[in-house]
Amino acid sequence: MSAPGAVLTRRPVGGGSGHPDPDRPRLGGAFAQVALALVCAGYTTGASLGWGSPRLALFMGDFGLSAAAFTAAVSCFLYGRTHRGDTRPAWLLFAFSSFMAASGNAVWGWYEVVLRTEVPDSSAADLFFLLFAPPAIVGLLVLAKKPVTRAGWVCLGLDAWLIGGSLLTLSWSLALARTAHFEGEPVAQAALALAYPLLDIVLVSMVLVLHFRRSQANRSATNTAIAALALTVLCDALFTSPLLRENYASGQLLDAGWFAGSLLLAYAPWGVRRPPDTAAAPRGPWLHSRPVAGSLAALTPYLAAAVCTLGILYNVVEGRRVDRVVVLTGCTVVLALVVRQGIMLLDNIALTHELAQKENHFRSLVQGSSDVIMIAAPTGTLRYVSPAASGVYGRDADDLIGSELASLIHPDDLGAVVHEVRRFLAVSPADEPTTRIECRFRSGRGDWLNVESTVNRHQGGLIFNSRDVTERVRLQAQLQHNAEHDPLTDLPNRALFTRRVRQALAGRRSSDQGTAVLFIDLDGFKGVNDRLGHQAGDDLLVQAARRLHDSVRAGDTAARLGGDEFAALILGDGGRDRAARRNQVQEIADRLRLTLSQPYRVDGGNEVRVAASIGVAFAEPGIEAGALLRNADLAMYRAKAAGKDRVELYAPQMQAEVVRRTELAARLRTALHEGEFALLHQPVVDLATGRISAVSAQARWRSSQGILFTPAEYLRVTDDGERTAELGRWLFEEAVEQAAERAGIGHRTPVSVRLSARRLLDRSLPLGSVESLLTRHGLPSGSLIVELADSDPRTSLDELEQRLVALRRLGVRIALDGFGSGHVAINALRRLPVDILKLDRGLVEGVVESARLRKITRGVLRIAGELGMRTVAEGVDVPEQVVALRAMGCSHAQGMAFSGPLDEYRLRRALVRDEYPLPGAVPVRAGNRPQIRSNNETPVPPT
């Protein structure tokens, strides 16, 4: 942009623009043209040398011309049949005209070659030759550009007569008058002699007129056809001259003209044609010049009058008496010229008036338009600016005229504008008539406006139709920002964060293994939402986002992925010390964890605390963005599983664990239907007598690989609530059915089945189904115990109480499982109709060693005794626990101290025996305790 006019610098068309020159023929067209030239040259050579023998000369002069004309007839006929359009009748007429010429030459050859006689003065050949011109004349009229007004049709006829009358005057003076007054010759023979030149004059007139009035469609074919007919007429004119006709013989050089004209007409419809729009494209220094064809068309009437005058002067110079035909023809030509000039004068006056109206109309449109219209010269100087510039740009149009366009465009946008303008000027106008450019434009107020311009070519320069789109650009930028940012915290969302991670892993940073992604989850956020409401939760998220954004570096990215999940992209510094970089990123993560764990003031001053579990994953060579994000997510979940409020670095075994759990969950979906689940029962022992007072139903999964899984293990790998509910229904129905079978043989021991409060309330186990199940299997009243295992604070105790009361009416006893582990246990004990209280294993495990825990357990047992409830200690694994719990007043216990879970066969044997030995007061010695695990920790072989 060293020169102001460089904006509009035009590259040469075809000079590397990638567009072929439309005027350049293709390979097939060039081959056809060369072949045509060689055939015509061969015929001309043969005719000039006499073909070597008179016999061959006659044959080639007659049947050779017939074959060429017949080829033209077939070619034009086939083109007319296969191509639909306005020019189809013209080619069919040319085909008929050529067929007449072929027939005439064939008849001529019949006399000369076959019959070996001279051709009669009047024969069928003359009829065929006379029928050659009329179809060709009509065909030329079809190819002509049709006038749109009545005056145009009149001018077309006058132009044809001007040319024809002038040629008739000159021809009559030179030769036709002598032919018309030839004495001793019959009238028919004289008329026939005159018919040839007169028809040729008419044909020449139409050729000349249509050369300047040809249609734009298929101009190459039209020009070739006109040239072919012109060559044929020229040979006819030479043939009709008395001097040449007297010495003419078939096979001479004159036949080469007819032969070439026929082949040229055959080639015309199939020749290579250029698009009509290409020829109209202005190029080079001829941009401002008038077309040569238009100038010649304007001079045609005057040239015709000059030819007519020349014919009359010839008679005067030769001293001849002026023939009446010449006088009459000359007068009509002059009259036609006067009439035509009058019509053109009236037409010019009407066009001038119409042009003035259109100019006023377009001037009003331009001046009243809200868009700014600017015309730039090839040098880049503004030559015209519409008045709308004052309202759009804040600058008067007169101030902008004469300024350089490059000086008004923002420097950052100038390169793109120059590139687009040069590209636009390099392509063909037919391929791309307009283009659009958007850039920033200097306004009169000193700021930059976003301007969108539609650019058109104009006499070597450009026309810019510009409008202010600043508000639209601002709105688009705002919409783009909203689509890529979280509406609450204004941090980048998941889509934008993923794109930036992808960018960080590409390009020059692809080999930087110091780039890391941090996944952050706020532990305890859900509790804030439940206690204080969503407004407080949103306030907390906004503050956490602000802390996260302030904690990362300027080049890093902090984002909110959704809910209480955040992420951070820490870009690498290009260093090669991976250990130091890992320590640095871990320090950043620890500092961020501490920052996010600081107290928050929400909802008018309430102070809340949340912790942060952070997973860190480092980039590896060849890793993709999705895989890196997944690794950080796995590390974050490992941090939550390990106790929350901590930082975990990704390790490959985390992915292996996920794969294992996924495979296990997939096998679990079909395990129930394939009979891989088994129902076991663990005895509940009366600590006073040692007898079995109940059995606790437990499901075990023995997979097809032979691995035994406890409920805690196989339920942890699936989040499929439907599958869990299906397993719960199977456990309940199977336990009732087996309990009924045992009752039928005399073992009326109650069975205890664990159900969650949520499952009771969501009607997955309807009340009617429980009653029908007990009735169907004939289970006696009191033989079913439902263990309520749920401590969700959102559970409605009112609905749960109604549900349990309905179950008790069916003879079902209710046990409160896991008492002492949740904050809702006391409230549930106060509200719900409970028959049995099961102590949580957390109260049982340390009851021997911890005096404090013994006091708590003793207090719980005392409360249960005062409420009249039976107590069951769960997870009693060693004899010392049995002694301690019995001393505290616990009435029942289950665990490995008595028996593990039993299958149906071993359970029935235990029920027959119906007694377990109760340990006495055995001293507890350190290191002498049996290594027995509880029933909830059944050994599981590694997978």
Side-chain angles (χ1 to χ4, degrees):
M1 293 305 300
S2 57
V7 176
L8 300 181
T9 301
R10 178 193 294 268
R11 293 180 179 176
V13 177
S17 63
H19 296 275
D21 188 355
D23 294 330
R24 185 181 305 163
R26 295 173 295 180
L27 182 60
F31 178 79
Q33 293 174 3
V34 171
L36 177 65
L38 290 177
V39 172
C40 293
Y43 191 95
T44 303
T45 303
S48 62
L49 298 177
W51 296 103
S53 68
R55 186 74 175 169
L56 181 61
L58 290 176
F59 182 85
M60 295 302 298
D62 294 333
F63 290 110
L65 293 183
S66 178
F70 186 74
T71 302
V74 172
S75 175
C76 294
F77 179 76
L78 292 178
Y79 184 84
R81 285 290 304 273
T82 57
H83 290 73
R84 305 290 179 179
D86 297 338
T87 61
R88 180 188 181 192
W91 296 109
L92 293 178
L93 289 170
F94 289 154
F96 180 75
S97 176
S98 299
F99 182 74
M100 292 295 103
S103 301
N105 284 297
V107 172
W108 199 285
W110 175 263
Y111 283 107
E112 289 188 335
V113 177
V114 178
L115 301 180
R116 298 184 181 184
T117 62
E118 292 186 2
V119 181
D121 292 336
S122 298
S123 64
D126 295 316
L127 177 63
F128 288 129
F129 286 143
L130 289 175
L131 292 177
F132 165 80
I137 294 172
V138 178
L140 289 174
L141 286 174
V142 174
L143 289 179
K145 184 178 180 181
K146 304 301 185 298
V148 296
T149 62
R150 185 179 302 174
W153 284 104
V154 174
C155 288
L156 177 62
L158 292 175
D159 289 343
W161 171 246
L162 285 172
I163 297 174
S166 301
L167 293 177
L168 178 61
T169 302
L170 183 60
S171 302
W172 191 275
S173 300
L174 294 176
L176 296 182
R178 187 183 311 168
T179 302
H181 296 88
F182 190 77
E183 298 180 358
E185 188 172 291
V187 176
Q189 185 69 25
L192 183 62
L194 289 175
Y196 282 113
L198 291 177
L199 286 176
D200 286 340
I201 289 174
V202 175
L203 189 57
V204 169
S205 302
M206 296 309 303
V207 167
L208 292 176
V209 171
L210 297 180
H211 177 69
F212 306 115
R213 291 180 176 270
R214 60 187 181 275
S215 175
Q216 295 292 329
N218 202 354
R219 293 184 61 184
S220 178
T222 303
N223 291 337
T224 307
I226 291 176
L229 293 175
L231 183 59
T232 302
V233 169
L234 176 62
C235 294
D236 287 346
L238 293 176
F239 175 75
T240 55
S241 64
L243 180 61
L244 186 60
R245 187 172 186 179
E246 291 175 359
N247 299 321
Y248 171 77
S250 297
Q252 293 182 349
L253 190 61
L254 184 62
D255 291 346
W258 282 315
F259 183 84
S262 296
L263 291 187
L264 195 62
L265 184 60
Y267 169 77
W270 308 98
V272 178
R273 299 171 298 279
R274 64 184 183 182
D277 292 339
T278 305
R283 58 173 73 201
W286 295 274
L287 190 64
H288 303 284
S289 64
R290 293 186 61 188
V292 178
S295 301
L296 292 178
L299 293 177
T300 300
Y302 305 102
L303 293 176
V307 171
C308 183
T309 304
L310 184 62
I312 297 175
L313 290 177
Y314 177 80
N315 284 285
V316 174
V317 171
E318 291 291 327
R320 301 177 182 176
R321 183 176 59 86
V322 178
D323 195 283
R324 286 177 296 178
V325 174
V326 174
V327 174
L328 180 61
T329 305
C331 292
T332 55
V333 169
V334 173
L335 180 61
L337 178 62
V338 173
V339 173
R340 186 185 186 282
Q341 291 301 105
I343 293 175
M344 295 302 298
L345 178 61
L346 295 176
D347 194 28
N348 288 337
I349 294 175
L351 288 176
T352 302
H353 181 67
E354 183 180 358
L355 181 62
Q357 289 182 339
K358 290 183 177 180
E359 184 178 355
N360 293 331
H361 175 69
F362 285 112
R363 182 181 292 108
S364 300
L365 289 178
V366 170
Q367 293 180 353
S369 174
S370 59
D371 292 350
V372 180
I373 299 176
M374 301 182 297
I375 300 178
T379 60
T381 304
L382 293 177
R383 298 189 307 185
Y384 174 80
V385 180
S386 65
S390 58
V392 176
Y393 298 149
R395 305 177 65 175
D396 291 338
D398 296 337
D399 296 339
L400 291 175
I401 296 176
S403 59
E404 300 295 336
L405 183 62
S407 64
L408 304 175
I409 301 174
H410 195 283
D412 295 341
D413 301 339
L414 188 57
V417 173
V418 171
H419 179 271
E420 175 60 21
V421 169
R422 286 178 174 174
R423 184 203 63 77
F424 173 63
L425 293 176
V427 301
S428 170
D431 297 333
E432 189 173 358
T434 64
T435 188
R436 292 177 59 189
I437 294 177
E438 188 168 330
C439 63
R440 284 168 289 181
F441 200 89
R442 187 192 302 275
S443 71
R445 298 176 292 274
D447 57 345
W448 295 97
L449 302 176
N450 292 93
V451 176
E452 180 186 68
S453 302
T454 302
V455 185
N456 295 270
R457 298 172 180 83
H458 175 68
Q459 296 182 354
L462 294 174
I463 297 179
F464 292 84
N465 190 354
S466 307
R467 62 203 62 86
D468 183 9
V469 294
T470 304
E471 290 301 322
R472 190 197 70 187
V473 171
R474 290 175 182 172
L475 179 60
Q476 289 177 344
Q478 184 63 41
L479 292 176
Q480 183 70 20
H481 179 85
N482 295 341
E484 296 179 341
H485 290 76
D486 176 59
L488 178 63
T489 62
D490 204 38
L491 289 180
N493 58 14
R494 183 182 294 271
L496 179 57
F497 183 76
T498 303
R499 184 162 69 250
R500 291 188 179 177
V501 172
R502 189 178 297 111
Q503 293 171 354
L505 298 178
R508 62 183 181 87
R509 295 185 177 273
S510 59
S511 59
D512 190 354
Q513 301 182 23
T515 299
V517 170
L518 278 61
F519 256 59
I520 307 160
D521 186 84
L522 299 182
D523 304 319
F525 171 75
K526 187 174 181 301
V528 175
N529 259 349
D530 293 338
R531 295 195 312 271
L532 302 178
H534 291 281
Q535 181 61 40
D538 291 346
D539 194 6
L540 188 150
L541 291 175
V542 171
Q543 295 183 44
R546 188 180 302 115
R547 294 182 186 182
L548 176 60
H549 180 269
D550 295 341
S551 299
V552 299
R553 299 172 304 179
D556 299 333
T557 300
R560 182 192 177 203
L561 305 183
D564 59 345
E565 289 187 351
F566 294 85
L569 171 63
I570 309 298
L571 298 178
D573 54 6
R576 298 187 178 272
D577 190 350
R578 296 184 60 184
R581 179 58 178 168
R582 286 178 178 271
N583 293 334
Q584 181 184 5
V585 172
Q586 189 162 9
E587 290 177 1
I588 293 175
D590 284 328
R591 185 171 65 252
L592 185 58
R593 179 184 61 82
L594 294 175
T595 300
L596 294 176
S597 300
Q598 296 297 320
Y600 296 85
R601 292 281 181 179
V602 298
D603 196 21
N606 292 321
E607 182 177 299
V608 295
R609 289 179 177 269
V610 294
S613 295
I614 302 179
V616 182
F618 287 90
E620 299 291 340
I623 194 172
E624 295 183 353
L628 183 59
L629 296 176
R630 180 200 61 207
N631 294 345
D633 195 21
L634 291 176
M636 184 268 291
Y637 277 107
R638 175 58 65 90
K640 292 177 72 68
K644 302 180 180 180
D645 194 18
R646 57 186 294 128
V647 176
E648 285 285 343
L649 300 182
Y650 170 77
Q653 56 267 27
M654 295 181 183
Q655 179 64 24
E657 176 65 20
V658 170
V659 172
R660 174 184 174 275
R661 293 179 59 183
T662 303
E663 294 176 350
L664 190 61
R667 293 203 303 266
L668 179 61
R669 295 188 182 97
T670 59
L672 185 60
H673 299 286
E674 294 179 358
E676 296 182 6
F677 275 90
L679 185 63
L680 304 180
H681 295 84
Q682 187 174 32
V684 178
V685 179
D686 189 334
L687 295 182
T689 63
R691 300 186 63 183
I692 300 175
S693 62
V695 291
S696 177
Q698 301 174 8
R700 291 293 186 271
W701 175 31
R702 185 175 298 278
S703 68
S704 57
Q705 288 80 13
I707 304 172
L708 185 66
F709 296 99
T710 65
E713 292 166 333
Y714 62 70
L715 291 179
R716 186 174 63 246
V717 303
T718 179
D719 296 328
D720 192 347
E722 181 180 356
R723 195 69 53 199
T724 305
E726 184 179 2
L727 180 60
R729 289 192 294 269
W730 174 85
L731 174 63
F732 186 79
E733 294 177 0
E734 192 74 11
V736 171
E737 182 179 358
Q738 293 187 13
E741 291 178 358
R742 290 193 298 271
I745 60 175
H747 302 300
R748 296 180 176 272
T749 306
V751 61
S752 177
V753 182
R754 180 176 299 180
L755 292 175
S756 67
R758 180 171 58 88
R759 200 157 302 283
L760 283 172
L761 293 179
D762 66 8
R763 297 300 187 267
S764 64
L765 189 67
L767 180 60
S769 65
V770 175
E771 183 177 16
S772 62
L773 184 64
L774 297 177
T775 303
R776 183 170 68 249
H777 294 289
L779 190 65
S781 178
S783 297
L784 176 62
I785 302 173
V786 173
E787 295 182 12
L788 188 62
D790 200 287
S791 59
D792 191 346
R794 294 173 299 178
T795 302
S796 173
L797 292 180
D798 293 334
E799 295 182 12
L800 184 58
E801 181 181 7
Q802 297 175 6
R803 184 74 166 146
L804 295 179
V805 168
L807 287 175
R808 291 187 71 184
R809 291 174 182 162
L810 299 175
V812 179
R813 288 185 287 175
I814 307 300
L816 187 60
D817 185 36
F819 186 81
S821 63
H823 66 277
V824 299
I826 297 297
N827 199 23
L829 189 63
R830 180 178 63 87
R831 296 280 303 276
L832 302 179
V834 178
D835 303 302
I836 302 170
L837 188 65
K838 297 191 70 171
L839 300 181
D840 184 69
R841 62 182 300 107
L843 296 177
V844 176
E845 286 178 345
V847 73
V848 177
E849 295 86 354
S850 174
R852 184 181 183 86
L853 194 57
R854 284 198 298 271
K855 292 180 181 179
I856 295 174
T857 304
R858 185 179 293 111
V860 171
L861 293 172
R862 184 182 304 113
I863 293 174
E866 292 178 356
L867 293 177
M869 297 180 184
R870 191 172 70 181
T871 56
V872 177
E874 188 177 8
V876 180
D877 296 337
V878 295
E880 291 85 351
Q881 294 173 342
V882 176
V883 174
L885 290 169
R886 185 172 57 183
M888 293 178 188
C890 183
S891 60
H892 296 77
Q894 70 179 82
M896 298 300 293
F898 302 105
S899 173
L902 305 173
D903 58 19
E904 186 65 19
Y905 173 75
R906 289 182 175 83
L907 176 61
R908 293 187 180 185
R909 289 183 58 186
L911 291 176
V912 171
R913 188 174 61 248
D914 195 22
E915 186 176 358
Y916 284 98
L918 296 175
V922 181
V924 179
R925 294 190 303 271
N928 196 30
R929 181 175 304 165
Q931 295 299 318
I932 303 176
R933 302 174 64 87
S934 85
N935 59 298
N936 284 335
E937 297 295 332
T938 302
V940 178
T943 58

